[in-house]
Amino acid sequence: MASERAVRARLQRAGQEHLLRFCAELAPGPRAALLAELGALEPEALREHCRRAAAACAHPPGPPPDLAARLRPLPPECVGSASRCDPETRLLWEEEGFRQIALNKVAVLLLAGGQGTRLGVTYPKGMYQVGLPSQKSLYQLQAERIQRVEQLAGERHGTRCTIPWYIMTSEFTLGPTATFFQEHDFFHLDPNNVIMFEQRMLPAVNFDGRAILEQKHKVAMAPDGNGGLYCALSDHQILEDMERRGVEFVHVYCVDNILVRLADPVFIGFCVLRGADCGAKVVEKAYPEEPVGVVCQADGVPQVVEYSEVSPETAQLRGPDGHLLYSLGNICNHFFTRGFLQMVSSEFEPLLKPHVAVKKVPYVDEEGNPVKPIKPNGIKMEKFVFDVFPFAKSFVAFEVSREEEFSPLKNAASDARDNPAMTRRALLMQHYRWALQAGAHFLDACGARLPELPSLPDGTEPPAICEISPLVSYAGEGLEMYLQGREFRSPFILDENQARALQA
């Protein structure tokens, strides 16, 4: 461990010597922890990080004045659609995706570095239960989808196959996530195929460019954003692990989408057959001002432009068909070739520009008293996973149905949108639609048939509660053998045991 003298000299070079102002009064344990944390920070990188944070925060918010003239929609040849293609083409994409999965060439990579703070919980968001009848967590739903798509690919191609699950965590989420998986027996996945690794942490900075002390012995640190993926891949030799396993294609996604289709064979197949090195799943924006990033071109290259950077006039623009000109909403659901990830990690990562997030950061005042601020006081610098799109040689976007594939869990129950009730309702409504399509009928408490309403306004509960385990069906397939022409009372859970009973 570096001595206090050595650490102080490094901090002086970075202009951050104030971080040691309580060092003399600390007990040996906390003092050693502080020196270890500070000793790991490179002086030049720390100085530049703090300078850039303060400078970026000083820029006025809103769209750059010349952005509108630089934007263009993606060319039509770069965009596919799961719903607007003909059935034969969709089957072709799906079969190619299953073929690559059966060849063990596909991995999934989960971005899970954030805590559930906005949900009002102190544990990782993937551990959250939204209140399904089965009481499954987000992690369990995702693990079971991996198992089912492995099974489907194996059955089609007469083989056993594996989809490795890489999980990028942070200092905050690695321990709880690892413990949660161990306590649940890795949800019956082989632990050797579940690879957890940490992203880097960066100091939070105040508006004067000074790193913040959260406690006398601890710097306020935050994950470096989901774009920290590219450094983390190098830090933990993840790409080398993928190469050893024969992985060529990686599906990257965020933890909070309850409807996410891991290793979606349709998306994988579309990207592979298009020869893409980088792809993004998108949904059509619900309305012009919807607060989602837009996948488009800026300066002739693919990018995600944040909604706050798009002027109201640009957001309202429509094409000849009446649809929004900038309609492709980013849902943090991406395809990368391993070769592209290798190129980004080794060459282009230093070119990624951090984004500013102004936050309320707990700190200690000059007397060492802990303070919980009531208004934003600090800057967290983050990189975004999609910032690499401009480096792609062959970029594609793939539009999917929002009601089938996107319902993010971001906010607590008290918020109006993206809350646990909304995500629960989205999943149960999807499963209700699947059951109706498979020929099921539902009864009320008195035994009378309930109305069959496969389409309902947003916010409306389905007429019957039906939950279908991902181990039984990945995307609504194969349900007729269990449900066709049968009647069920609500609530109804179709899990593996129930499926076996219905087949008996």
Side-chain angles (χ1 to χ4, degrees), residues 90 141 145 148 152 258-261 401 403-405 426-442 453-455 462 464 466-484 488 492 494:
R90 182 187 170 97
L141 291 170
R145 287 177 188 142
R148 176 62 179 169
L152 290 170
I258 198 170
L259 301 181
V260 65
R261 294 185 180 179
S401 162
E403 68 177 9
E404 284 294 321
E405 297 206 34
L427 186 68
L428 294 177
M429 191 68 211
Q430 180 190 65
H431 291 183
Y432 172 72
R433 287 193 304 271
W434 290 355
L436 293 185
Q437 291 163 6
H441 306 285
F442 291 97
L453 303 170
S455 181
C466 170
E467 183 184 350
I468 299 171
S469 168
L471 295 171
V472 175
S473 184
Y474 173 82
E477 79 291 333
L479 294 174
E480 290 80 7
M481 70 176 75
Y482 312 117
L483 305 180
Q484 181 72 50
F488 304 95
F492 172 64
L494 179 59

Side-chain angles (χ1 to χ4, degrees), residues 75-197:
E77 62 270 20
C78 295
V79 183
S81 172
S83 56
R84 288 199 279 268
C85 66
D86 61 81
E88 293 77 14
T89 300
R90 182 187 170 97
L91 282 173
L92 188 68
W93 294 337
E94 183 179 59
E95 182 51 44
E96 178 63 19
F98 276 128
R99 189 175 77 85
Q100 298 296 342
I101 292 169
L103 291 169
N104 296 306
K105 290 187 176 183
V106 176
V108 292
L109 196 156
L110 166 60
L111 305 172
Q115 295 170 291
T117 309
R118 284 166 61 184
L119 282 171
V121 298
T122 58
Y123 50 81
K125 198 181 290 186
M127 294 165 55
Y128 195 86
Q129 298 180 11
V130 300
L132 295 171
S134 66
Q135 295 299 304
K136 290 178 180 177
S137 64
L138 296 179
Y139 281 147
Q140 182 170 355
L141 291 170
Q142 293 168 20
E144 291 180 353
R145 287 177 188 142
I146 291 174
Q147 292 173 69
R148 176 62 179 169
V149 79
E150 287 176 340
Q151 178 188 2
L152 290 170
E155 288 173 352
R156 285 183 178 230
H157 292 274
T159 187
R160 289 179 61 86
C161 54
T162 297
I163 300 172
W165 193 8
Y166 296 90
I167 303 177
M168 186 178 78
T169 64
S170 69
E171 176 185 299
F172 301 136
T173 62
L174 177 59
T177 297
T179 299
F180 189 75
F181 271 72
Q182 290 159 4
E183 290 173 349
H184 291 83
D185 194 26
F186 285 79
F187 306 104
H188 305 293
L189 292 169
D190 183 343
N192 293 319
N193 297 323
V194 181
I195 304 96
M196 299 183 193
F197 60 102

Side-chain angles (χ1 to χ4, degrees), residues 279-298:
K281 266 194 184 183
V282 295
V283 296
E284 184 176 6
K285 289 180 69 175
Y287 51 93
E289 301 82 13
E290 184 181 8
V292 295
V294 175
V295 181
C296 59
Q297 283 190 344

Side-chain angles (χ1 to χ4, degrees), residues 321-401:
D321 59 0
H323 286 87
L324 291 174
L325 200 59
Y326 298 103
S327 65
L328 304 182
N330 176 50
I331 59 173
C332 197
N333 191 315
H334 308 311
F335 166 94
F336 300 115
T337 63
R338 179 172 55 80
F340 178 75
L341 292 175
Q342 183 70 59
M343 182 177 65
V344 169
S345 296
S346 61
E347 297 180 37
F348 296 127
E349 196 286 329
L351 303 179
L352 300 182
K353 295 181 179 179
H355 302 258
V356 172
V358 180
K359 304 279 189 178
K360 291 183 282 190
V361 181
Y363 66 98
V364 290
D365 63 19
E366 291 305 313
E367 285 72 45
N369 301 310
V371 179
K372 285 193 173 182
I374 58 175
K375 62 180 182 179
N377 65 309
I379 306 160
K380 295 182 179 180
M381 299 291 280
E382 303 172 328
K383 294 180 179 179
F384 294 160
V385 67
F386 52 72
D387 286 338
V388 300
F389 289 180
F391 306 123
K393 295 177 181 176
S394 178
F395 176 85
V396 293
F398 190 63
E399 186 179 356
V400 297
S401 162

